[in-house]
Amino acid sequence: MSILQRLRRLFRRHSALPACAGEGPDIPIMFVQRFLQPPPQPCDHPPGEGLHVWDEPLVINTPARGDAYDFVVTVWCTWCAQPKTFDPKPDLAAEINARRRGVERDIRNVIRATARQFLANLPHEAEEAVNKELAAAFFRPIHDCENATVKLTVQAWVGLSEELREQRRE
């Protein structure tokens, strides 16, 4: 089992953790926090309000600079939908689902454009740049109308392709 598969399994075990500030566990060791932290926090409202959805990790193979090798990018999306009116109460899950497909396309475009600037042996630098660009792209709410506000927080991990990983082992 590859390390990426182990990380995915580990993340799934902890994906049921709450997204709001103050609800998650307090993990003081930064190394452990990197792997055990809950999904990114998209909101700062009181606990129990709105709807939070954690999507399954999205794995994207995207070319590195030179197109000889790919990066393997794992993306976690955390959605937060807040109602603005309670009479009638909006369908928050429908608000999220209506935007999911377009957002996935935008995520792929941002990742591809950013990752192509880095050589395939520099996944750490690519990860920092990808997360910075994703944070900038999804800084504002995805949807904001008189009934509801939908926010999205995206976190990406960038790794080496299996082919390049095998070459490094040799």
Side-chain angles (χ1 to χ4, degrees):
M1 180 182 299
S2 74
I3 192 158
L4 191 57
Q5 290 171 331
R6 288 181 187 160
L7 288 173
R8 277 192 220 125
R9 284 184 47 209
L10 180 66
F11 184 81
R12 278 191 209 126
R13 270 189 236 144
H14 296 282
S15 65
L17 295 173
C20 293
E23 291 184 50
D26 201 19
I27 303 173
I29 303 171
M30 293 304 290
F31 180 74
V32 174
Q33 185 179 12
R34 167 105 166 110
F35 296 105
L36 299 179
Q37 68 183 353
Q41 299 181 7
C43 54
D44 55 0
H45 59 81
E49 285 185 9
L51 174 68
H52 296 98
V53 177
W54 295 271
D55 285 351
E56 285 294 316
L58 174 65
V59 179
I60 302 169
N61 291 328
T62 189
R65 184 169 25 159
D67 292 331
Y69 296 103
D70 289 344
F71 286 119
V72 177
V73 183
T74 306
V75 181
W76 286 272
C77 296
T78 306
W79 297 84
C80 174
Q82 282 295 111
K84 289 185 176 178
T85 62
F86 293 97
D87 190 35
K89 189 173 180 182
D91 184 4
L92 299 177
E95 295 284 349
I96 291 173
N97 291 334
R99 278 132 193 96
R100 192 172 262 134
R101 195 166 205 172
V103 164
E104 185 177 321
R105 184 179 56 245
D106 293 342
I107 289 171
R108 288 179 185 274
N109 290 340
V110 168
I111 289 173
R112 184 175 175 90
T114 307
R116 289 182 73 93
Q117 300 171 13
F118 296 91
L119 294 173
N121 62 345
L122 301 173
H124 178 70
E125 288 83 356
E127 181 175 313
E128 288 178 1
V130 164
N131 280 321
K132 183 178 176 184
E133 291 299 318
L134 287 171
F138 297 106
F139 177 72
R140 296 178 185 261
I142 300 299
H143 174 70
D144 197 1
C145 68
E146 65 274 353
N147 293 334
T149 300
V150 178
K151 297 179 184 178
L152 175 69
T153 303
V154 182
Q155 180 182 11
W157 290 355
V158 179
L160 297 171
S161 66
E162 287 298 322
E163 184 180 352
L164 192 57
R165 192 181 310 270
E166 289 298 322
Q167 285 182 1
R168 280 191 166 185
R169 287 182 187 144
E170 293 173 358

